[in-house]
Amino acid sequence: MQERQLGTLKVSALGLGCMGMSEFYGAGDEAEAIATIHRALDLGVTLLDTADMYGVGRNEELVGRAIRGRREQVVLATKFGNVRAPDGSFVRIDGRPEYVRAACEASLRRLGVETIDLYYQHRVDPNTPIEDTVGAMAELVRAGKVRHLGLSEAAPETIRRAHAVHPITALQTEYSLWSRDPEDSILPTVRALGIGFVAYSPLGRGFLSGQIKRIEDLAPDDYRRNSPRFQGENFTRNLALVAEIEAMAREKGCTPAQLALAWVLAQGQDIVPIPGTKRRRYLEENLGALTVSLSPQDLERIDRILPPGAAAGTRYAAAQMQALNR
């Protein structure tokens, strides 16, 4: 397995996003999900990504069960800050120091571990100074409960302020062929500070895999049915873009998903994509991206097909967009 550096933390070049194993993308199969995590570890994947909000805690419990007896093979990342009620309804974003401490204790308990390797603030709380939140996170490092700190979807100035309180190891933000916003100011900021970049949804929530041709291909309870990029005219326009990626993948002898991941990997050695899957066959397909080589001409062609801003529709619905880049 190829490895990359997130700040001072060494991880596999591709991680595994575990969110969909418990929620959001239709029904789950816990046995297959755990088998997928075990297969990932067998193949050398070390970075596993979860969060306390995924499945309202159930995803952390699932990951905890999967890594029991194999803890030393795992760089375990989880997140706090998106507060949900037991019924799954969204309550608030919370970065208060007392909440940070309570959330960490709850995650440690669900995961069944003594230490979290990489602890992210999932979304920036506009009502709590970032210095207070990161100060509380730094206390967790000193207490031995957390090893490295991360932020997710934070703005450049917030990243700089946070890093001044305690070194930030990784910033996690959506980044893919159809979400290239970080190129403007986020990537230059983290690179100037020596912070690694973790790309979530590097397959455009599965759209770039070429597997989704109709909205009916998604389960009735799949949250993507409410995503702007999967609706109406946006869906049709985005399908046309993916068709061009599919054609190029055929020429390269790889799948569209492998091409899309290879493109993210080619954007810098400090970038680690974490494609999510709940099935072993897609995990193995995704890891095949590590053997796909893109020439300068290939990269130029991809830039012509999907330049920044090419995707139709916003990344999230309007209310969720307000929580980004804070």
Side-chain angles (χ1 to χ4, degrees):
M1 172 59 65
Q2 300 169 30
E3 292 184 314
R4 292 190 169 188
Q5 289 285 143
L6 296 173
T8 58
L9 181 62
K10 184 177 288 187
V11 299
S12 51
L14 274 179
L16 174 61
C18 300
M19 179 184 81
M21 296 174 178
S22 301
E23 197 181 12
F24 299 113
Y25 296 142
D29 177 338
E30 183 167 310
E32 177 62 18
I34 288 176
T36 300
I37 292 174
H38 289 168
R39 183 65 176 146
L41 298 180
D42 292 342
L43 292 172
V45 173
T46 59
L47 180 61
L48 300 183
D49 185 90
T50 181
D52 60 3
M53 72 162 281
Y54 299 160
V56 197
R58 295 191 307 277
N59 195 244
E60 286 185 326
E61 292 170 350
L62 184 153
V63 170
R65 287 193 294 274
I67 67 173
R68 202 157 294 149
R70 304 184 70 168
R71 177 69 181 94
E72 73 286 348
Q73 294 177 255
V74 177
V75 176
L76 184 58
T78 192
K79 316 176 198 72
F80 73 91
N82 281 323
V83 185
R84 296 173 72 188
D87 67 359
S89 59
F90 183 76
V91 179
R92 65 182 178 277
I93 294 173
D94 198 335
R96 295 173 301 150
E98 59 269 31
Y99 181 77
V100 175
R101 292 187 286 268
C104 181
E105 292 296 342
S107 286
L108 289 168
R109 184 174 65 253
R110 285 188 293 264
L111 290 161
V113 299
E114 295 181 356
T115 309
I116 295 163
D117 297 309
L118 178 55
Y119 199 40
Y120 292 100
Q121 182 182 22
H122 206 161
R123 292 290 185 271
V124 175
D125 179 358
N127 300 312
T128 303
I130 193 66
E131 290 82 0
D132 293 354
T133 303
V134 176
M137 295 168 73
E139 290 175 9
L140 297 172
V141 175
R142 290 190 288 272
K145 296 178 179 181
V146 170
R147 291 194 174 97
H148 298 268
L149 302 186
L151 302 174
S152 181
E153 294 285 1
E157 183 56 27
T158 304
I159 297 166
R160 285 189 283 267
R161 287 168 55 196
H163 194 65
V165 175
H166 186 280
I168 301 299
T169 294
L171 176 79
Q172 182 175 145
T173 290
E174 184 172 352
Y175 187 45
S176 71
L177 276 171
W178 78 347
S179 295
R180 295 182 59 176
D181 307 358
E183 295 172 0
D184 294 336
S185 58
I186 297 293
L187 279 169
T189 298
V190 296
R191 283 174 169 156
L193 297 171
I195 298 170
F197 186 92
V198 174
Y200 79 81
S201 293
L203 294 175
R205 307 189 187 285
F207 206 104
L208 295 168
S209 70
Q211 299 291 321
I212 303 166
K213 300 298 186 187
R214 306 173 306 143
I215 199 69
E216 292 78 19
D217 292 337
L218 303 175
D221 61 345
D222 193 309
Y223 103 104
R224 289 173 291 188
R225 283 176 173 265
N226 299 312
S227 172
R229 291 185 176 176
F230 287 77
Q231 294 181 325
E233 183 62 26
N234 290 344
F235 189 88
T236 304
R237 289 171 59 191
N238 290 329
L239 271 180
L241 295 173
V242 172
E244 295 197 55
I245 292 297
E246 289 179 297
M248 184 173 175
R250 284 193 295 272
E251 293 174 26
K252 295 285 293 181
C254 64
T255 68
Q258 290 168 342
L259 182 66
L261 289 172
W263 179 87
V264 177
L265 287 162
Q267 302 312 301
Q269 287 291 316
D270 54 349
I271 296 176
V272 176
I274 52 167
T277 184
K278 50 190 175 183
R279 297 184 180 90
R280 283 168 284 183
R281 63 190 177 104
Y282 292 131
L283 165 78
E284 292 174 3
E285 177 187 343
N286 291 343
L287 289 174
L290 293 165
T291 64
V292 175
S293 177
L294 297 178
S295 68
Q297 293 75 24
D298 290 332
L299 293 170
E300 287 173 11
R301 180 178 172 186
I302 292 169
D303 266 342
R304 289 195 298 272
I305 296 170
L306 273 161
T314 55
R315 292 202 273 140
Y316 290 96
Q320 293 168 296
M321 287 295 292
Q322 293 175 12
L324 308 181
N325 200 36
R326 276 181 171 161

